[in-house]
Amino acid sequence: MAQPRGMLLLEHLNLNVADYAAAAAFLRALGCQQAAVRSHMNCGPHTQFHMPTATPMQRWRGVVTIGYTAAGLAEAAEAVDNFTRGHAGVTVSRGDGGLYVEAPLGRFRLREGSPVEVAMVRVPTKRHQVEETVASGVLGIVEVEVPVEPGCAASAARFYSSVFGFETECVEGTSTAYILGGPVLGSQR
């Protein structure tokens, strides 16, 4: 796989939340914007968090990475720092080229987007209510990490390859697999 790692489009990530208002306030601090559908938050022009109210609430077990322009990342860093002052259970650490935010919804990595991710923002969207999130420099959800049991990455990659025809790569000597795919051939390029 000679292509750069990372997604070009992950349309949505679904997490059940116990308190939608609290979850939406957190995502607004990350630069997201309320979508037309009440349980959705736009994250850049093409991606969303879908957050139906349900119990038990879900917590993403891996890492959700949101890409930003350089100015957008600085704005998000300030907004998240301000948000943590009034919200217990949300912490921020810096390192590895970005910010890591631990929150009840999971662990989020905020980083500057790659040139390919920045270019995706220019692709036209028919999604409504994205003006604020785009103006805030949010590119969208650009990566998700999903932990699996040791020794299961290769079988997960085989599943996505054989069932969905996705392009996969297992990193030799590790428990890591990269999976690229989507509803249309080449949609992750």
Side-chain angles (χ1 to χ4, degrees):
M1 247 185 252
Q3 300 293 324
R5 303 267 187 253
M7 287 184 248
L8 297 183
L9 180 63
L10 173 68
E11 201 280 329
H12 74 272
L13 180 68
N14 193 90
L15 287 168
N16 293 345
V17 299
D19 181 346
Y20 180 81
F26 169 70
L27 291 177
R28 275 193 297 279
L30 301 183
C32 299
Q33 176 182 355
Q34 180 62 56
V37 176
R38 183 191 178 281
S39 62
H40 298 177
M41 292 289 289
N42 288 326
C43 183
H46 302 292
T47 66
Q48 293 183 323
F49 288 94
H50 291 188
M51 301 183 302
T53 304
T55 53
M57 88 173 252
Q58 295 173 316
R59 183 177 200 284
W60 188 259
R61 292 183 303 254
V63 179
V64 178
T65 301
I66 300 175
Y68 296 85
T69 62
L73 181 58
E75 184 178 319
E78 183 178 339
V80 168
D81 282 340
N82 290 335
F83 185 83
T84 60
R85 291 188 197 109
H87 296 84
V90 180
T91 59
V92 178
S93 61
R94 285 161 171 73
D96 194 24
L99 278 70
Y100 285 91
V101 183
E102 292 283 344
L105 292 178
R107 187 168 199 221
F108 293 77
R109 179 177 181 225
L110 315 182
R111 66 160 172 80
E112 194 169 334
S114 71
V116 173
E117 293 160 350
V118 171
M120 272 301 289
V121 173
R122 293 189 293 272
V123 174
T125 184
K126 293 183 179 182
R127 182 163 286 149
H128 300 285
Q129 294 174 239
V130 298
E131 299 79 15
E132 292 172 21
T133 187
V134 170
S136 294
V138 180
L139 305 176
I141 303 167
V142 296
E143 295 177 23
V144 291
E145 295 177 23
V146 182
V148 296
E149 292 292 322
C152 294
S155 61
R158 280 191 302 277
F159 169 81
Y160 279 95
S161 177
S162 66
V163 173
F164 296 109
F166 287 2
E167 185 178 345
T168 64
E169 177 186 331
C170 292
V171 180
E172 194 171 322
T174 72
S175 295
T176 301
Y178 296 98
I179 301 169
L180 294 173
V184 180
L185 183 63
S187 64
Q188 296 298 320
R189 295 276 180 245

